Amino acid sequence: MDDASGSTGKEKLVVEVIAAHNLMPKDGEGSSSPFVEVEFENQRLRTQVKYKELNPIWNEKLVFHVKDIADLPYRTIEVNVFNERRSSNSRNFLGKVRVSGSSIAKEGEDINAQLYTLDKRSLFSHIRGEISLKLYVSARAEVKQAGLGNGVVVSSGGGSGSASSGFSKKNKKVQQQTPSMAVQQQQQQQQLVQENKTSQQGQGHAKPTEPNPGEIKPVVITTGHGSAVPVASAGGGGIPVGGGGGGGGGLSVYPTGSAHEFSLKETSPHLGGGPLSKDKTSSTYDLVEQMQYLYVRVVKAKDISFFGGGEIVAEVKLGNYRGVTKRVNSNNAEWDQVFAFSKDCIQSSMAEIFVKESNKDDFLGRVWFDLNEVPRRVPPDSQLAPQWYRMEDKKGDKAKGEVMVSVWFGTQADEAFAEAWHSKAANVHFDGLCSIKSKVYLSPKLWYLRVSVIEAQDIIPGDKGPAMMRFPELSAKVQVGNQVLRTRTAAASMNRSLSNPYWNEDLLFVVAEPFEDYLLVSVDDRFGPGRDEVVGRVLLPVGAIERRTDEKPVVSRWFNLDNHFGSNSAESKLVTRFGSRIHLRVSLDGGYHVLDEATMYCSDVKPTAKQLWKPHIGVLEMGILGATGLMPMKIKEGKGSTTDAYCVAKYGQKWVRTRTVVDSLSPKWNEQYTWEVFDPCTVVTVGVFDNCRVDKNMINNSAGRDSRIGKVRIRLSTLESDRVYTHSYPLLMLHNTGVKKMGELHLALRFSCANMANMLHMYTLPLLPKMHYVHPLSVNQLEGLRYQAMNVVASRLSRAEPPLGREVVEYMLDHDSHMWSMRRSKANFFRLMNVISGFVAMGRWVESMRSWQKPVYSTLFLVFFLLLVALPELIVPTILLYLAFLGLWQYRSRPRHPPHMDTRLSHAESVYPDELDEEFDSFPTSRSADIVRMRYDRLRSVAGRIQTVVGDMATQVGFYAVPIRVVAALWGLYVLRPPRFRSKLPSRALSFFRRLPSKADSLL
């Protein structure tokens, strides 16, 4: 960390903490003991504690070093208010304020106290109150160096304050000497574990206020110059630093640990509105927080007359928010639009509805409603019936014309919520409104199309080649949509003529319902490099192809080839040609599951054919609550850095997309969705993206792509049935500069199992459908088909409204998971070594018994061994007893929360820059030849070591551990066993083992 004294100038930032008002009581006795902690550029200072005071007055100045005064407008000052709990040596959060550096006054300017409203730290904080601050830059304020030289202490006259300390609470010696230091050590340690610094949007509008000179008196700071440097103690924390003469605060500078920053945090949201506000929607929307909205539905108007006629609009106004309907003709004025105003943003006591000419500001009439008289609607009550209201003119008199309107208070459970115009989208361009609504998408139903090209007869070679006699090079090309595959060139045979080629190859394609494509099979004759001539073709509609659900092959058929297509000269030769034909076996295989996701992260393993589906075993319910601390993804004119975030969740064929929350780094969605679960060993994926189509400059730009913010994967088999999981998941992204936290995503999950016996039975079944084992597909085939399936899904979802972009589908389906990565290879290698480490540890333990390094243990082991030799019937019970005891012992330390992205397991923290650059390189590479040569040599060295290790293992196992005759005998007995003892399906034990959760879910 840079030394704070290295600033370019003598200016210091002065934060004058004056007072706070109407704070939330947090001590359980109707009061609080608040203090303020201010952080700026890794410097942290705090005020004194005001005990038992909800309206405290501090009147203290905190002075910070400014490294570069030119960068100050781009920095932020974070002010946190806490309640000190002396009984438990902890603290409660009372509110926070983030102040932009651009609003800081310079010395000499008129400096007034600003009143800021305290904001929440997360979705679930209960906060109220305001705080008065003065922020300015001064060259006369000084910061003195503390006695130990390891921190900065700012003193204020009058009263004694507690000294600040480091964040380690393990240094018991220091804690015993200074209790106040120990209290603060524990407070800062808990902040590291429980608090995540979130970068949120500006905290409302500052209200200037004039402090009372009789109550708030400035305090003169007399300090010396010093520097802020990181401090480390033997216990891993900072050295406590105290100030003399009634210190008012302190500073402890330390790097935030990534283990806490990237950790999963359990939250306690008020789901379903809390226990005191349960209503009829609690069974449907019980995994989200209730959000109150004012709904205004403008249906139509009548008896509207004005000079010249023309188009009219209706305008709904609530405080500073204004929503406008579409333009309609005055003779048929019907809108039927709903406007939703968040209750948090209501700034007026009445809602007004104006009817205007489309190109004028003056209104033709208006109606208004007192919000205190607006009814509250709770589904499943029927919708409120709209009524006719007589409009008023500018003078308040009854005007000619009526408008049909309904107004009510409701929540996000209301049917009108999804299609309503939202007040927080007031600045969105009209063409971009459709892209911010929540939608549910369904992936198309995918089939594998198998085309077996067997042979052809009476093929006349092409006549475009050279006149001399040549051997025809005949191959079959099959095309479905944009998927094209080709057989090998037919080889010459003594038993077949040149005009009867033989291939007998299977080609697989991915097609989607409804079947709109055609299957085109053509026979090509190659008479030069890249020069092919079509000598015959046949066109088949995919919808007419036979479907099969098992391994029984369909009947093959002969199809006549059309060889008189093209120009008239070709048609004239029809008389001289024979009737060529081709032998095909074509079927739609419904017994497979079409993989469009990475195999280890599948969200669905059902076969395509619906008659093969088994009943669902449970229901997955997810509440997408919100996000905090999102990184700014774009810069808007007049608004600075911001994010327009939305969530996409994918499980099975169902994709859900939340609405886009505009201009917010801490969006709240509070939307709940449900999926049927057919297999517990599946994964639900949730991604967060920035909507680029909100900006009017990007609406018509086809190259605009939604930016990735991060995603979370949760395996259902790690969830307990009927338990609600509420956690904030870190959104981690791997960049070419390293891993970066993009924010936190707050989710509420519940997996409800209908029948526990059925779910346990699933663990004994193969993961994939039967056809994957009876007629398995090769790895290359699966990769190619998965790429084609992803293309089909992306093209279908991009045609929806609003479209789900291709970049979103690719990111959710892990389209680049097959690309080479040295980092992932290391992670998987060490995962494998962890599996073997148990056997290695057992071998070392046995060796220590043999070497008698611990005579007592070796003696007991020898006695126990002789006992088992004397009583061999105790061997099996002893092993079972040991396994049972080991299972019970490890059950105590079982994971209590779902797995999340683990940066250490993924080797994202210790990766070399060149390895990251290689991972993010394009394919084919875009790097220079020297870099590619260096990476190739590195890969050869790694492969050489692997080759040596595999060779040694094969040699040791094959020739030394077991005699070669025994190996051959056992292998022969296994291969030649009777068919009655064979099965192409994996065993139940192997299926159970494969279904167990693995650490692959935590890999980046």
Side-chain angles (χ1 to χ4, degrees):
M1 188 177 298
D2 296 331
D3 190 40
S5 63
S7 57
T8 57
K10 297 182 179 180
E11 291 86 354
K12 301 296 185 294
L13 171 64
V14 180
V15 179
E16 187 173 347
V17 184
I18 300 175
H21 321 284
N22 194 27
L23 296 179
M24 178 72 73
K26 288 291 182 77
D27 62 356
E29 300 176 1
S31 186
S32 290
S33 299
F35 66 93
V36 178
E37 189 174 83
V38 184
E39 183 174 357
F40 173 71
E41 288 188 341
N42 294 325
Q43 306 170 60
R44 186 174 297 174
L45 301 176
R46 55 171 288 179
T47 65
Q48 303 179 45
V49 179
K50 298 296 182 181
Y51 295 100
K52 302 294 182 180
E53 181 63 64
L54 294 180
N55 298 286
I57 298 176
W58 291 283
N59 205 22
E60 297 183 25
K61 293 184 179 180
L62 309 178
V63 182
F64 298 86
H65 290 290
V66 180
K67 295 182 181 179
D68 190 351
I69 195 66
D71 290 340
L72 185 59
Y74 308 102
R75 300 289 184 260
T76 57
I77 299 94
E78 187 162 348
V79 182
N80 292 279
V81 185
F82 296 99
N83 167 57
E84 183 179 74
R85 300 177 61 184
R86 304 179 67 181
S87 59
S88 60
N89 294 334
S90 62
R91 60 185 181 180
N92 300 111
F93 181 73
L94 293 178
K96 68 179 295 184
V97 170
R98 293 193 72 215
V99 184
S100 174
S102 60
S103 62
I104 298 176
K106 301 294 188 295
E107 189 174 15
E109 298 179 359
D110 188 16
I111 304 173
N112 294 323
Q114 303 289 322
L115 186 64
Y116 297 90
T117 301
L118 294 176
D119 213 329
K120 297 182 178 181
R121 177 177 58 192
S122 65
L123 293 171
F124 321 114
S125 303
H126 292 279
I127 301 304
R128 77 180 186 193
E130 300 86 22
I131 186 170
S132 299
L133 302 172
K134 281 186 181 181
L135 297 96
Y136 55 93
V137 174
S138 174
R140 292 178 295 178
E142 297 180 355
V143 180
K144 79 173 183 179
Q145 191 172 3
L148 294 177
N150 294 323
V152 176
V153 174
V154 178
S155 302
S156 60
S160 60
S162 59
S164 69
S165 68
F167 58 84
S168 172
K169 63 177 181 180
K170 298 180 181 179
N171 197 339
K172 298 182 179 180
K173 182 177 180 180
V174 176
Q175 290 179 355
Q176 292 171 359
Q177 292 176 353
T178 311
S180 63
M181 295 181 183
V183 171
Q184 294 188 22
Q185 283 181 341
Q186 186 168 3
Q187 291 174 352
Q188 295 184 1
Q189 175 69 19
Q190 291 185 355
Q191 182 185 11
L192 277 178
V193 178
Q194 298 174 359
E195 297 178 19
N196 178 47
K197 294 182 292 183
T198 59
S199 53
Q200 296 180 347
Q201 203 177 0
Q203 307 296 326
H205 302 283
K207 303 177 182 178
T209 180
E210 291 291 333
N212 189 339
E215 296 180 354
I216 303 175
K217 300 179 181 180
V219 178
V220 179
I221 303 177
T222 55
T223 56
H225 181 69
S227 61
V229 294
V231 186
S233 67
I239 297 177
V241 181
L251 169 68
S252 176
V253 183
Y254 52 87
T256 303
S258 60
H260 302 299
E261 183 181 3
F262 299 152
S263 63
L264 185 74
K265 303 180 181 68
E266 189 167 3
T267 58
S268 301
H270 293 270
L271 302 181
L276 300 180
S277 59
K278 293 289 184 181
D279 53 26
K280 300 177 183 179
T281 63
S282 61
S283 60
T284 306
Y285 287 85
D286 59 342
L287 292 183
V288 293
E289 293 183 311
Q290 284 192 0
M291 302 174 66
Q292 299 293 327
Y293 286 89
L294 172 67
Y295 291 96
V296 179
R297 183 182 180 189
V298 183
V299 184
K300 55 185 175 181
K302 67 179 181 179
D303 299 335
I304 303 295
S305 62
F306 56 94
F307 180 76
E311 294 180 330
I312 61 174
V313 296
E315 178 184 306
V316 181
K317 185 178 179 182
L318 183 66
N320 294 330
Y321 292 97
R322 182 174 64 94
V324 182
T325 65
K326 59 187 177 182
R327 299 178 180 180
V328 297
N329 193 285
S330 59
N331 298 327
N332 185 23
E334 186 168 349
W335 299 284
D336 197 16
Q337 288 184 240
V338 181
F339 299 84
F341 298 88
S342 175
K343 198 171 183 180
D344 298 336
C345 303
I346 293 179
Q347 303 170 347
S348 176
S349 61
M350 69 174 182
E352 299 176 281
I353 302 162
F354 302 92
V355 177
K356 300 180 177 181
E357 295 183 58
S358 59
N359 54 355
K360 294 185 179 180
D361 293 334
D362 294 337
F363 60 85
L364 302 174
R366 73 156 191 166
V367 295
W368 61 276
F369 298 89
D370 187 352
L371 298 187
N372 296 323
E373 304 296 330
V374 172
R376 183 173 183 267
R377 174 180 176 252
V378 179
D381 292 349
S382 300
Q383 292 189 3
L384 195 65
Q387 300 180 27
W388 288 104
Y389 293 90
R390 174 75 66 180
M391 293 190 295
E392 299 177 352
D393 57 13
K394 297 178 182 179
K395 299 179 181 179
D397 300 330
K398 293 297 181 181
K400 186 178 181 181
E402 292 180 294
V403 62
M404 180 179 283
V405 177
S406 60
V407 184
W408 72 94
F409 278 110
T411 65
Q412 71 268 35
D414 202 291
E415 296 89 343
F417 177 79
E419 297 297 330
W421 175 93
H422 289 268
S423 56
K424 293 187 177 180
N427 297 322
V428 179
H429 194 265
F430 181 78
D431 295 332
L433 285 176
C434 65
S435 67
I436 67 174
K437 296 180 179 179
S438 57
K439 292 291 180 182
V440 176
Y441 305 85
L442 290 178
S443 294
K445 191 175 183 181
L446 302 178
W447 292 74
Y448 281 150
L449 172 61
R450 185 185 296 270
V451 181
S452 299
V453 185
I454 303 173
E455 59 179 335
Q457 287 184 355
D458 300 331
I459 301 298
I460 305 299
D463 51 8
K464 293 183 180 180
M468 65 180 66
M469 186 64 183
R470 66 181 183 87
F471 180 80
E473 300 181 14
L474 299 174
S475 62
K477 184 178 73 173
V478 184
Q479 180 175 357
V480 180
N482 60 353
Q483 306 173 54
V484 180
L485 294 177
R486 187 185 294 271
T487 66
R488 70 183 188 279
T489 301
S493 176
M494 297 293 294
N495 301 325
R496 305 181 70 88
S497 65
L498 298 179
S499 61
N500 297 335
Y502 182 79
W503 298 285
N504 196 23
E505 289 189 31
D506 281 358
L507 305 177
L508 283 173
F509 302 87
V510 176
V511 293
E513 291 185 359
F515 301 122
E516 301 171 348
D517 295 324
Y518 284 84
L519 173 66
L520 175 63
V521 183
S522 61
V523 179
D524 296 351
D525 183 13
R526 173 166 295 184
F527 55 87
R531 301 170 61 190
D532 296 336
E533 180 186 359
V534 179
V535 296
R537 69 179 184 182
V538 61
L539 196 65
L540 303 174
V542 176
I545 295 176
E546 183 179 352
R547 308 182 186 189
R548 66 168 184 168
T549 59
D550 51 21
E551 65 274 14
K552 297 178 182 178
V554 298
V555 179
S556 60
R557 294 177 55 191
W558 287 94
F559 296 91
N560 293 325
L561 290 174
D562 181 10
N563 51 18
H564 61 276
F565 51 88
S567 62
N568 294 330
S569 61
E571 295 179 1
S572 63
K573 299 177 183 179
L574 176 61
V575 181
T576 63
R577 295 204 173 196
F578 294 97
S580 304
R581 58 179 187 166
I582 189 170
H583 193 191
L584 302 175
R585 181 182 292 111
V586 188
S587 63
L588 289 167
D589 291 354
Y592 290 96
H593 169 70
V594 180
L595 292 167
D596 57 350
E597 305 166 283
T599 310
M600 65 182 69
Y601 305 131
C602 272
S603 63
D604 183 18
V605 291
K606 302 189 304 295
T608 302
K610 196 168 184 179
Q611 56 266 35
L612 299 179
W613 292 6
K614 296 181 179 178
H616 69 275
I617 62 169
V619 173
L620 171 66
E621 298 167 277
M622 175 185 292
I624 304 177
L625 304 179
T628 54
L630 296 184
M631 296 294 293
M633 304 301 294
K634 66 181 70 165
I635 298 178
K636 290 186 177 181
E637 296 180 2
K639 297 181 181 179
S641 302
T642 184
T643 299
D644 304 319
Y646 67 92
C647 254
V648 175
K650 197 263 181 189
Y651 185 77
Q653 286 185 302
K654 183 177 177 180
W655 300 64
V656 299
R657 170 178 176 159
T658 67
R659 70 188 187 282
T660 300
V661 178
V662 182
D663 296 337
S664 177
L665 300 179
S666 299
K668 295 180 181 180
W669 294 293
N670 283 306
E671 298 183 20
Q672 184 169 340
Y673 299 95
T674 305
W675 290 269
E676 288 184 339
V677 177
F678 292 84
D679 195 303
C681 304
T682 47
V683 177
V684 58
T685 305
V686 187
V688 184
F689 301 88
D690 175 66
N691 194 340
C692 73
R693 295 172 178 81
V694 173
D695 190 357
K696 63 180 179 181
N697 298 325
M698 299 293 294
I699 291 174
N700 298 322
N701 186 4
S702 59
R705 295 169 60 90
D706 292 349
S707 302
R708 308 170 179 177
I709 298 179
K711 68 180 175 183
V712 173
R713 288 189 293 255
I714 302 172
R715 187 171 294 274
L716 269 60
S717 57
T718 61
L719 305 178
E720 297 180 14
S721 181
D722 297 321
R723 174 185 169 185
V724 177
Y725 290 84
T726 55
H727 292 88
S728 64
Y729 297 82
L731 296 172
L732 306 180
M733 281 287 290
L734 190 66
H735 300 271
N736 52 7
T737 57
V739 67
K740 188 175 183 181
K741 182 176 179 179
M742 306 294 288
E744 293 185 357
L745 177 64
H746 297 261
L747 299 176
L749 282 169
R750 178 171 58 213
F751 171 52
S752 303
C753 180
N755 190 326
M756 188 62 67
N758 289 344
M759 187 180 73
L760 294 177
H761 176 67
M762 293 293 296
Y763 277 86
T764 64
L765 302 178
L767 184 63
L768 295 173
K770 181 180 178 181
M771 283 289 288
H772 285 270
Y773 305 99
V774 177
H775 288 295
L777 305 176
S778 65
V779 176
N780 291 335
Q781 279 182 317
L782 286 175
E783 285 297 330
L785 292 172
R786 177 175 168 246
Y787 177 75
Q788 297 297 342
M790 187 198 65
N791 284 336
V792 173
V793 173
S795 63
R796 287 291 181 90
L797 296 182
S798 63
R799 291 159 54 187
E801 187 61 34
L804 200 61
R806 182 180 181 86
E807 67 278 5
V808 176
V809 177
E810 289 180 350
Y811 184 55
M812 296 291 289
L813 297 182
D814 290 307
H815 76 291
D816 56 351
S817 61
H818 64 285
M819 300 298 290
W820 161 254
S821 168
M822 179 67 77
R823 176 190 59 84
R824 280 199 293 259
S825 301
K826 288 181 180 178
N828 290 325
F829 174 77
F830 284 105
R831 286 175 57 209
L832 182 61
M833 294 305 297
N834 285 334
V835 175
I836 306 176
S837 62
F839 300 99
V840 175
M842 186 177 297
R844 290 177 179 174
W845 178 77
V846 173
E847 182 63 27
S848 66
M849 295 295 102
R850 289 181 63 245
S851 60
W852 288 77
Q853 297 176 356
K854 298 180 180 180
V856 177
Y857 291 168
S858 298
T859 303
L860 293 176
F861 179 75
L862 181 60
V863 172
F864 185 70
F865 174 74
L866 294 176
L867 179 64
L868 293 180
V869 171
L871 302 172
E873 62 272 11
L874 296 180
I875 295 177
V876 175
T878 302
I879 295 176
L880 295 178
L881 182 63
Y882 170 74
L883 294 178
F885 175 77
L886 185 65
L888 292 175
W889 181 260
Q890 293 186 350
Y891 181 77
R892 298 169 59 252
S893 59
R894 69 189 185 278
R896 306 286 179 159
H897 53 75
H900 64 288
M901 301 295 184
D902 191 338
T903 55
R904 181 170 298 178
L905 180 67
S906 304
H907 280 255
E909 298 175 342
S910 59
V911 65
Y912 293 103
D914 181 69
E915 295 176 0
L916 274 180
D917 183 70
E918 180 184 20
E919 185 171 347
F920 284 91
D921 190 10
S922 58
F923 188 85
T925 182
S926 58
R927 301 297 184 263
S928 63
D930 294 336
I931 295 179
V932 174
R933 184 181 299 110
M934 181 269 294
R935 291 173 179 173
Y936 176 65
D937 292 339
R938 180 178 62 194
L939 187 60
R940 288 178 61 195
S941 65
V942 173
R945 290 196 295 268
I946 295 176
Q947 175 182 282
T948 303
V949 172
V950 173
D952 291 344
M953 291 177 61
T955 302
Q956 295 292 334
V957 173
F959 293 97
Y960 293 98
V962 181
I964 186 61
R965 293 182 180 180
V966 176
V967 173
L970 293 177
W971 179 79
L973 288 174
Y974 179 78
V975 172
L976 299 176
R977 68 191 188 279
R980 182 177 179 181
F981 301 103
R982 300 182 192 175
S983 175
K984 292 185 178 181
L985 298 179
S987 64
R988 294 182 180 272
L990 183 59
S991 298
F992 177 80
F993 178 76
R994 286 178 176 174
R995 285 176 171 271
L996 294 178
S998 68
K999 291 187 177 181
D1001 300 334
S1002 301
L1003 290 179
L1004 278 171

